[in-house]
Amino acid sequence: MEGKTREEILRLLEANARYTAKDIAAMLGMEEEEVKNEIEAMERERVICGYHALVDWDKTDDEKISALVELKVTPQRGDGFERIAEKIYQYPEVESLYLMSGGYDFTVILKKATMKEIANFVSSRLAVIEEVQSTATHIVLARYKDHGMQLAAPKKDMRMVVTP
């Protein structure tokens, strides 16, 4: 299958993981079986790594918070950042880990937890890693858009129209 067709399938699934092979086949003018086989191949190759629901936790009773931690580290000779990244992404508290350019080397996104759990994780697990020089922890106050999806509904203008 052409790389372009694979990318089209991936873009459709990224936009809506609930599309079926039949839906995608109809949109791309392909056979359902061909799309199904390609999706299964991409799952085996780990091009497709999983399917998730995007949840607006602000609309639930969940009171846990999300945090983003920036880490400045000392890269290791021969391994660069790889060994350090491996130490960090093994923690179940870590939702995402990115190597970044700029003032900090890593951005760590933590799973939702209480403030105490986040503080404990950062101080007792991340900050004590030998290669970590410094950390900066940011608490997510509100999410307006995530994974390309607008979470907050635009506010309606409730002002009364006044005309002369």
Side-chain angles (χ1 to χ4, degrees):
M1 179 172 284
E2 290 181 42
K4 187 175 179 178
T5 305
R6 272 186 149 210
E7 288 178 14
E8 289 173 349
I9 292 171
L10 291 171
R11 282 192 178 79
L12 288 169
L13 285 173
E14 188 177 51
N16 185 348
R18 297 184 76 185
Y19 283 144
T20 64
K22 184 177 181 180
D23 297 333
I24 293 170
M27 288 186 256
L28 299 179
M30 299 172 61
E31 294 295 322
E32 179 181 348
E33 194 64 28
E34 186 181 10
V35 171
K36 187 177 176 186
N37 290 339
E38 196 60 36
I39 289 171
E40 288 172 357
M42 289 190 287
E43 289 171 345
R44 282 191 306 274
E45 296 165 15
R46 295 201 40 86
V47 173
I48 297 174
C49 300
Y51 302 90
H52 305 276
L54 178 59
V55 178
D56 186 351
W57 290 103
D58 292 342
K59 293 179 179 171
T60 70
D61 294 333
D62 181 75
E63 294 190 8
K64 293 181 179 175
I65 59 172
S66 298
L68 180 152
V69 183
E70 295 173 314
L71 298 177
K72 189 164 188 64
V73 302
T74 304
Q76 301 299 295
R77 183 177 298 267
D79 289 332
F81 295 99
E82 297 302 314
R83 197 169 57 82
I84 303 165
E86 195 174 311
K87 283 183 188 176
I88 296 168
Y89 68 62
Q90 305 262 347
Y91 289 116
E93 293 88 345
V94 174
E95 180 82 23
S96 302
L97 174 66
Y98 304 104
L99 178 63
M100 308 294 290
S101 63
Y104 286 88
D105 300 304
F106 287 109
T107 296
V108 183
I109 299 174
L110 301 179
K111 288 184 177 176
K112 291 176 64 71
T114 65
M115 180 69 92
K116 186 175 182 177
E117 290 168 334
I118 287 172
N120 188 38
F121 177 73
V122 172
S123 64
S124 66
R125 299 275 179 92
L126 288 181
V128 297
I129 294 173
E130 188 178 327
E131 297 86 358
V132 172
Q133 297 173 11
S134 65
T135 66
T137 303
H138 308 275
I139 303 302
V140 176
L141 299 177
R143 291 187 317 156
Y144 297 102
K145 190 172 186 179
D146 200 348
H147 289 79
M149 184 69 72
Q150 183 178 328
L151 299 176
K155 292 184 178 176
K156 292 181 181 174
D157 190 352
M158 302 299 282
R159 295 178 292 178
M160 182 170 38
V161 177
V162 178
T163 57

